[in-house]
C-alpha cells in the first residue's frame, strides 16, 4: 500500500453523526450541537459573572462600612480608621481586578494561533509566578497588612499591652503576618508542583521539540 | 451569512477531516469523540473572531491541532493520577482492575496506520496528520508556527520514522 492509497482509504473515515444512521450532517443534529454550544457559552459567562458579583458585593460592603463608620463616628474619623478602611477597600478592589483579569485570560485561550505560539501562551499560564505576579502579590499583601494592622492596634494593643511595648508587639505582628504569608506561598507552591509543574514540563518539552528540531515522546 | 449558518457550512465541509486528525492523537473511541466535540466547541467560539486572515483550512487545522495538544496534556495528568490512585489501592490491599484497553475501531490498514502514528512523537504526529489531510508545507508551517523549509525537513523525517514503524509491523508504505 502507498501513501496515496492510504489517503484514499482515510477519506472513508467519517466523523460520527449526532443521530446514528443519518447519512451526512443532519439539520437536527447540527441544531442540537449549536444549542449545546450556546449553552456551554452561557455557562462560562455565568461563571465569570458569579465571581465578579462576589467581589462587587465585598467592595460594596467595605465602602458601605467606611461611609457608615464616618457618619456614626462622633467628630472627625481617626486617621488610622480611615487608613484601615481605605486599605481594606483598596485590597478588595485590587484582588477583585486581579482575579477578574485571571478569569478573563483563562476564558480566552486562543486556539486559533500557530501551535508554537499556543504552547508559548500555555507556558505563560502554567508557570508558577511571573515577575509581574510577584509585584502584584507584594502590593496585595501590603494592602491587606495595612488593612489588618489597625485591628491589632485598636482591638488588641490598646487593651492588653502597655504603651512601652507597642513597638515589640507590632514587630511581632509583622513577623506573624509574614509567616502566614510565607506559609500561604509554600502551600500554593506545593499545590502548583503537584498539579501544574508536570504539565508545564510537558509543554516545555513540546515547545522545545517544535523550536529546536528535537523529538520528544 | 450569520454565525449559525456559517458554522453549519463549516461543519458540513470539514467535520470528517477534523475527526481524522483527532484519530491521529486519540486512540480510545469515546475520548476521541470528546476531543472532537471540544474542537467543534473551539471552532464555534472562535468563529466570531475569524477575519479570514488565513485560509479556512489553516484556521481549522490550528484549532484542531491545539485542542489535541491540550488533550495530550490532560491525558498525561490522568495517567499520573491513575498511577497514584492504583498505587494507593494496591498499598491498601484493594484489588485493582486493569485499565480499559484503548481501541482504534477502524479497519485493518487504517487501524494499523493509526497504531503506528500513535507511536510517533507529538510533533511528528501533527505533521503526519496534516500531510494525510493534504496540507502542503506552507500550510503546515502556518499551523505550527515554523518555516516552510523546516516543515518539509521535519515531515520527511516523520515519514521516515513512520515507515520504519510500519515495516516493523508488516509490509511497507511507499
Amino acid at each position: 500500500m502507498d501513501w496515496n492509497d492510504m489517503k484514499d482509504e482515510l477519506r472513508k473515515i467519517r466523523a460520527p453523526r449526532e443521530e446514528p444512521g443519518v447519512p451526512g450532517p443532519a439539520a437536527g443534529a447540527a441544531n442540537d450541537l449549536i444549542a449545546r454550544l450556546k449553552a456551554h457559552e452561557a455557562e462560562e459567562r455565568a461563571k465569570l459573572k458569579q465571581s465578579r458579583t462576589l467581589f462587587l458585593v465585598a467592595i460594596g460592603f467595605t465602602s458601605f462600612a467606611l461611609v457608615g463608620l464616618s457618619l456614626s463616628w462622633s467628630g472627625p474619623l481617626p486617621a488610622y480608621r480611615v487608613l484601615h478602611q481605605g486599605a481594606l477597600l483598596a485590597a478588595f478592589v485590587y484582588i477583585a481586578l486581579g482575579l477578574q483579569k485571571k478569569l478573563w485570560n483563562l476564558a480566552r485561550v486562543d486556539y486559533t494561533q500557530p501551535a508554537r505560539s499556543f504552547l508559548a501562551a500555555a507556558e505563560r499560564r502554567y508557570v508558577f509566578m511571573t515577575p509581574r505576579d510577584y509585584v502584584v502579590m507584594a502590593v496585595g499583601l501590603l494592602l491587606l497588612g495595612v488593612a489588618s494592622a489597625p485591628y491589632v492596634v485598636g482591638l488588641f494593643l490598646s487593651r492588653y499591652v502597655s504603651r512601652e511595648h507597642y513597638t515589640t508587639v507590632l514587630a511581632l505582628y509583622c513577623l506573624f503576618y509574614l509567616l502566614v504569608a510565607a506559609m500561604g506561598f509554600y502551600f500554593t507552591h506545593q499545590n502548583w508542583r503537584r498539579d501544574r509543574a508536570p504539565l508545564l514540563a510537558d509543554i516545555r518539552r513540546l515547545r522545545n521539540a517544535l523550536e529546536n528540531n528535537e523529538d520528544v515522546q | 451569512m450569520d454565525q449559525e449558518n456559517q458554522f453549519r457550512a463549516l461543519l458540513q465541509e470539514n467535520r470528517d477531516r477534523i475527526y481524522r486528525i483527532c484519530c491521529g492523537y486519540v486512540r480510545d473511541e469515546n475520548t476521541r469523540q470528546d476531543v472532537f466535540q471540544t474542537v467543534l466547541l473551539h471552532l464555534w467560539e472562535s468563529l466570531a473572531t475569524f477575519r479570514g486572515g488565513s485560509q479556512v483550512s489553516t484556521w481549522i487545522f490550528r484549532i484542531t491541532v491545539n485542542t489535541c495538544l491540550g488533550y495530550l496534556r490532560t491525558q498525561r495528568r490522568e495517567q499520573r493520577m491513575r498511577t497514584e490512585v492504583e498505587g494507593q489501592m494496591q498499598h491498601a490491599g484493594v484489588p485493582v482492575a486493569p485499565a480499559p484497553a484503548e481501541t482504534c475501531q477502524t479497519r485493518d490498514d487504517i487501524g494499523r496506520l493509526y497504531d503506528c502514528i500513535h507511536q510517533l512523537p507529538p510533533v511528528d504526529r501533527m505533521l503526519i496528520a496534516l500531510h494525510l489531510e493534504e496540507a502542503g508545507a506552507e500550510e503546515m508551517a502556518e499551523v505550527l508556527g515554523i518555516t516552510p523549509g523546516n516543515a518539509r525537513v521535519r515531515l520527511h523525517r516523520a515519514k521516515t520514522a513512520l515507515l520504519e514503524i510500519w515495516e516493523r509491523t508488516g509490509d511497507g508504505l511507499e
Side-chain angles (χ1 to χ4, degrees):
Chain A
M1 180 176 264
D2 68 8
W3 281 103
N4 290 330
D5 290 342
M6 195 59 87
K7 285 178 185 175
D8 290 341
E9 275 292 303
L10 273 179
R11 297 282 168 274
K12 293 175 190 163
I13 295 184
R14 311 293 300 270
R17 266 58 198 173
E18 301 295 309
E19 292 158 8
V22 178
N31 284 337
D32 179 44
L33 176 66
I34 288 171
R36 277 189 286 130
L37 293 173
K38 282 183 171 174
H40 178 86
E41 259 186 3
E43 200 181 314
E44 289 297 303
R45 263 201 309 273
K47 273 186 204 162
L48 275 174
K49 275 185 187 167
Q50 272 172 9
S51 65
R52 197 170 49 204
T53 309
L54 191 73
F55 281 98
L56 284 176
V57 167
I59 291 165
F61 185 74
T62 322
S63 314
F64 183 72
L66 181 62
V67 174
L69 191 71
S70 52
L71 287 178
S72 63
W73 203 271
S74 53
L77 208 58
Y80 80 90
R81 278 286 188 179
V82 176
L83 182 72
H84 160 63
Q85 292 290 341
L88 200 60
L89 183 63
F92 273 134
V93 172
Y94 190 73
I95 293 169
L97 287 176
L99 278 177
Q100 183 67 39
K101 192 168 182 292
K102 202 135 198 144
L103 282 167
W104 188 262
N105 287 343
L106 277 178
R108 297 213 167 253
V109 177
D110 184 6
Y111 286 87
T112 65
Q113 51 191 333
R116 203 168 140 184
S117 325
F118 176 77
L119 288 169
E123 191 178 330
R124 281 195 295 276
R125 283 197 306 275
Y126 278 81
V127 82
F128 178 58
M129 277 176 90
T130 60
R132 194 177 162 278
D133 290 335
Y134 281 103
V135 174
V136 170
M137 183 185 73
V139 174
L141 282 175
L142 192 69
L143 282 172
L144 279 176
V146 171
S148 54
Y151 275 120
V152 180
V153 176
L155 301 176
F156 180 72
L157 281 186
S158 58
R159 286 182 199 180
Y160 306 109
V161 181
S162 57
R163 196 164 273 278
E164 65 266 26
H165 293 118
Y166 269 25
T167 321
T168 316
V169 177
L170 266 175
L172 280 175
Y173 160 75
C174 290
L175 205 65
F176 176 74
Y177 183 73
L178 284 175
L179 195 70
V180 170
M183 277 170 65
F185 183 84
Y186 173 76
F187 287 118
T188 310
H189 186 260
Q190 288 300 101
N191 278 343
W192 174 84
R193 258 183 65 174
R194 191 191 60 217
D195 298 335
R196 313 199 93 188
L199 297 176
L200 181 67
D202 284 345
I203 292 169
R204 284 186 171 152
R205 264 202 299 275
L206 258 174
R207 207 179 148 200
N208 281 341
L210 258 179
E211 290 180 356
N212 305 328
N213 268 355
E214 289 166 8
D215 285 338
V216 288
Q217 266 307 346
Chain B
M1 204 191 295
D2 67 2
Q3 191 177 335
E4 283 187 23
N5 286 328
Q6 220 179 336
F7 185 71
R8 272 200 193 91
L10 208 74
L11 213 61
Q12 177 109 24
E13 271 181 46
N14 298 287
R15 203 182 167 105
D16 295 331
R17 70 199 321 205
I18 293 170
Y19 185 71
R20 285 194 293 267
I21 295 178
C22 293
C23 284
Y25 283 88
V26 194
R27 301 175 93 166
D28 174 63
E29 179 68 29
N30 292 327
T31 316
R32 192 189 305 148
Q33 287 194 28
D34 286 346
V35 174
F36 174 66
Q37 294 287 329
T38 311
V39 173
L40 297 189
L41 177 70
H42 292 152
L43 279 174
W44 168 263
E45 285 170 343
S46 310
L47 193 59
T49 53
F50 179 61
R51 299 271 173 269
S54 58
Q55 284 182 47
V56 178
S57 59
T58 308
W59 177 73
I60 288 172
F61 284 150
R62 277 180 180 170
I63 292 176
T64 311
V65 164
N66 287 336
T67 307
C68 290
L69 285 178
Y71 157 73
L72 288 181
R73 288 205 301 270
T74 54
Q75 185 198 31
R76 282 176 200 227
R77 180 168 50 194
E78 277 165 15
Q79 271 173 355
R80 258 190 296 271
M81 281 169 70
R82 198 184 302 141
T83 313
E84 270 176 35
V85 171
E86 282 177 4
Q88 285 168 4
M89 285 170 76
Q90 275 170 346
H91 185 70
V94 179
V96 180
E102 290 193 328
T103 55
C104 190
Q105 292 169 357
T106 44
R107 285 154 292 113
D108 308 329
D109 276 344
I110 297 299
R112 207 177 116 213
L113 176 68
Y114 280 129
D115 283 343
C116 295
I117 290 175
H118 289 144
Q119 293 177 47
L120 290 170
V123 176
D124 287 1
R125 264 190 252 176
M126 283 182 219
L127 291 157
I128 294 291
L130 295 175
H131 175 65
L132 290 170
E133 289 305 320
E134 306 285 4
E138 307 283 335
E139 194 161 29
M140 282 182 201
E142 269 193 70
V143 172
L144 301 183
I146 55 179
T147 62
N150 198 352
R152 261 181 228 109
V153 172
R154 280 162 174 262
L155 176 65
H156 179 71
R157 278 171 42 192
K159 281 166 87 172
T160 310
L162 182 63
L163 286 174
E164 280 171 16
I165 298 170
W166 182 271
E167 276 162 12
R168 272 208 310 268
T169 59
D171 61 319
L173 269 169
E174 286 156 17

